[in-house]
Amino acid sequence: MAVISRRSFLKAGLATAGAAAAAAVPAGRAKAAPGEELATLIDLRKCIGCEACVEECRMVNEDKFPEPKKPFPVMHPTSRVKTADWSEKREVMDRLTPYNWLFIQRAEGTYEGKEYSLTIPRRCMHCQNPPCVNLCPFGAATQTHNGIVKIDDDLCLGGAKCKSVCPWHIPERQTGVGLYQSLMPNFAGNGVMYKCDRCYQRVAQGEVPACIEICPENVQKIGPRREIVREAHEIAKEIGGFIYGEKENGGTNTIYVSPVPFEELNRVAEKGPGKPHLKRVDDAMADPNRWAAAVALAPVAGVLGAVGRFFKLAKGDQDRPGPAGEEE
Amino acid sequence: MAQDGTIRLVRMIYLAAMAVMVLTGFGNLPIYKRYYLNEVPGFGWTADFYANIQLHYLAGAAVLAVTAFLALNHLLTRGRKPRLTKTGLVRLVALAAVLLSGLMMLLKNLPSVRLDPGLAQAMTLSHLGTVMVFLFFSLGCLIARARWLRPAGK
């Protein structure tokens, strides 16, 4: 099949005037008002898959990458616990690894009779209510005030619960590094989990993440979530396009805009370990959070029970011959 | 406080809820799958972190209800009341810390609540720490047959 490039795809008419206007959009401002989250907008019309963002991410974050000690501790039961060693495969760029926190996912196909070829920068979605943060038993995953989700490599034990509960299974493990080695390395833990931290140090200084800064096509921008969502809707309306990330998992701080539906992109994109899907995602924390009401009401139930018992006993004392108020 | 029917029922609820709390609490650590517990018939759900957290919340609600009941019941009891033993007091303080940090974690998990990242991390670690204190101290009390309460007048 003769695949049409991004540019010829645009010419084919699926995206029109909006492209020119959007191309002039600056990388945004990485400053949030107090209590305001920063989100990124990823305009898939503009990505040419050059991987400049991937390379820059690897370079800028190199000092955060794991340097594991070998040989790895034997981890029991050996039949169940496998080592995850990417230290000899650091060059891998076509999926997420502990040394590659951003990759370009490719999607080619036909939509509404026209062929398309889109490249999709993929990394952590930085959920607004992230299950990895909520459910990490050691508090190693945290969410900063401006909405960045990051993993504390000094605290992470590499149990990969964050990966299990993440709807996209984003974090990747490296064995032989981190705190578990000082605890019970043979029986608990398995390294440290790694993923995009949206260049939190740079953002803290008002700079933009490296992947945004280096992009020659201005594919991404960062800004207050409300503005980013508004802009995403404007673009989507203009081109008859589609949005991903606004409502997924209850809302994320990574908003994609595409001229092709994400169901279609998900269908054709290569998926698997380290290559997340693009499916619609329900709020992962919705079910647990329904029980919060039960927890809130529980003390009330206890109080009502105690008061009811008090009156029942008092009535019993009145009905019984003999002095009232006797100890039960 | 005599062991009337209500108190016996409350005690049973407390023990059942605490058993679920311990099982699902450890289930929130990624260890059950590693150690094949999820392959024991009837325990497949233990490898599901979302199932664990929901059961943990449910059992936590029961413990809170029991705690509120017993506290108010104690206040409303007339005449001479049973008193906490020293080991009972330690367990009560530890349990209060567990419940408080657990409640903070539950709050943090709500989409509308944002805790300071440092505070959220401290709550998570203190929940883990205070649970361990409570569990190991309670285990010691069980072995030593130390009771929570000293009967009234003793």
Side-chain angles (χ1 to χ4, degrees):
Chain A
M1 183 172 74
V3 177
I4 297 172
S5 70
R6 176 194 71 101
R7 295 192 187 284
S8 54
F9 170 74
L10 292 178
K11 283 178 194 164
L14 274 168
T16 52
V25 169
R29 59 184 177 94
K31 264 194 173 164
E36 190 176 38
E37 290 178 347
L38 289 171
T40 50
L41 174 64
I42 303 179
D43 187 343
L44 295 186
R45 296 171 304 165
K46 298 197 234 167
C47 182
I48 56 172
C50 68
E51 295 188 326
C53 54
V54 180
E55 285 169 13
E56 188 71 0
C57 171
R58 292 162 65 95
M59 201 175 77
V60 166
N61 291 304
E62 197 176 6
D63 62 334
K64 301 174 193 165
F65 289 164
E67 294 299 337
K69 282 186 209 153
K70 293 182 183 178
F72 298 137
V74 176
M75 294 177 290
H76 300 288
T78 51
S79 56
R80 179 55 64 87
V81 191
K82 306 295 177 200
T83 57
D85 184 16
W86 288 93
S87 62
E88 309 292 335
K89 296 176 281 184
R90 298 182 190 215
E91 71 286 356
V92 171
M93 286 172 67
D94 65 349
R95 57 161 288 171
L96 298 174
T97 79
Y99 301 89
N100 201 62
W101 300 352
L102 165 68
F103 83 104
I104 301 295
Q105 196 170 37
R106 296 172 194 279
E108 296 176 354
T110 306
Y111 174 62
E112 291 188 337
K114 293 187 175 65
E115 290 179 337
Y116 66 83
S117 173
L118 290 176
T119 46
I120 313 166
R122 297 303 306 273
R123 54 161 171 76
C124 172
M125 300 288 288
H126 297 278
C127 301
Q128 289 191 285
N129 190 29
C132 58
V133 173
N134 291 334
L135 301 180
C136 174
F138 308 107
T142 56
Q143 184 183 34
T144 61
H145 294 292
N146 54 17
I148 292 175
V149 177
K150 63 189 184 71
I151 297 173
D152 184 342
D153 60 354
D154 288 333
L155 205 51
C156 178
L157 297 175
K161 185 180 177 185
C162 52
K163 187 181 175 83
S164 297
V165 300
C166 170
W168 294 273
H169 308 302
I170 296 286
E172 293 289 338
R173 172 160 55 200
Q174 174 61 48
T175 301
V177 63
L179 181 62
Y180 91 109
Q181 299 175 110
S182 310
L183 302 172
M184 298 188 295
N186 306 113
F187 301 103
N190 189 354
V192 171
M193 306 303 294
Y194 292 90
K195 68 166 199 72
C196 161
D197 59 14
R198 222 172 63 182
C199 294
Y200 69 95
Q201 297 112 320
R202 293 169 63 104
V203 172
Q205 292 169 355
E207 296 173 35
V208 299
C211 57
I212 297 180
E213 189 175 79
I214 197 72
C215 181
E217 301 287 325
N218 282 327
V219 170
Q220 292 194 62
K221 69 178 291 190
I222 189 167
R225 189 174 192 274
R226 212 175 323 137
E227 288 176 23
I228 290 293
V229 168
R230 183 170 40 78
E231 186 170 334
H233 278 276
E234 282 170 8
I235 296 171
K237 191 177 172 190
E238 199 170 79
I239 66 169
F242 305 88
I243 292 174
Y244 188 78
E246 182 191 0
K247 296 195 165 67
E248 275 56 47
N249 195 26
T252 79
N253 283 316
T254 302
I255 315 290
Y256 290 92
V257 186
S258 163
V260 177
F262 285 94
E263 290 78 4
E264 164 67 14
L265 296 180
N266 181 60
R267 191 180 66 76
V268 298
E270 191 185 349
K271 301 173 292 293
K275 297 178 179 180
H277 64 80
L278 282 161
K279 289 188 278 194
R280 294 287 160 204
V281 176
D282 290 334
D283 182 358
M285 290 303 295
D287 284 339
N289 284 339
R290 276 188 202 107
W291 290 105
V295 175
L297 289 174
V300 179
V303 165
L304 290 177
V307 171
R309 182 169 187 270
F310 172 77
F311 283 114
K312 188 179 162 195
L313 289 176
K315 188 171 182 295
D317 286 345
Q318 280 175 358
D319 295 345
R320 210 169 31 233
E326 189 106 335
E327 189 196 345
E328 61 192 46
Chain B
M1 200 186 317
Q3 290 274 304
D4 66 11
T6 309
I7 298 297
R8 270 197 298 275
L9 177 66
V10 167
R11 183 182 153 84
M12 280 173 61
I13 293 172
Y14 173 77
L15 289 175
M18 285 309 273
V20 175
M21 289 292 264
V22 172
L23 179 67
T24 56
F26 280 105
N28 281 302
L29 306 175
I31 54 173
Y32 287 165
K33 191 174 178 189
R34 176 170 180 160
Y35 289 105
Y36 293 96
L37 182 72
N38 65 314
E39 293 192 9
V40 175
F43 284 83
W45 59 271
T46 57
D48 179 343
F49 295 118
Y50 287 106
N52 266 288
I53 192 77
Q54 287 180 71
L55 279 170
H56 201 66
Y57 279 9
L58 185 63
V63 172
L64 278 174
V66 166
T67 307
F69 174 87
L70 290 176
L72 190 61
N73 186 60
H74 184 75
L75 288 174
L76 295 175
T77 298
R78 290 170 295 174
R80 287 181 296 173
K81 302 176 186 184
R83 296 177 63 184
L84 276 173
T85 59
K86 280 180 188 166
T87 55
L89 182 65
V90 173
R91 276 180 279 183
L92 185 66
V93 170
L95 182 60
V98 171
L99 291 175
L100 193 66
S101 54
L103 279 171
M104 292 289 278
M105 288 173 71
L106 178 142
L107 276 177
K108 167 196 71 131
N109 292 353
L110 296 172
S112 52
V113 177
R114 287 279 185 280
L115 287 190
D116 176 82
L119 178 64
Q121 196 172 54
M123 283 299 125
T124 305
L125 289 173
S126 62
H127 193 62
L128 198 62
T130 51
V131 160
M132 292 304 166
V133 169
F134 178 74
L135 279 183
F136 283 108
F137 195 79
S138 295
L139 189 65
C141 291
L142 194 70
I143 293 166
R145 292 175 172 269
R147 302 180 70 88
W148 276 82
L149 295 173
R150 190 185 309 132
K154 291 193 180 173

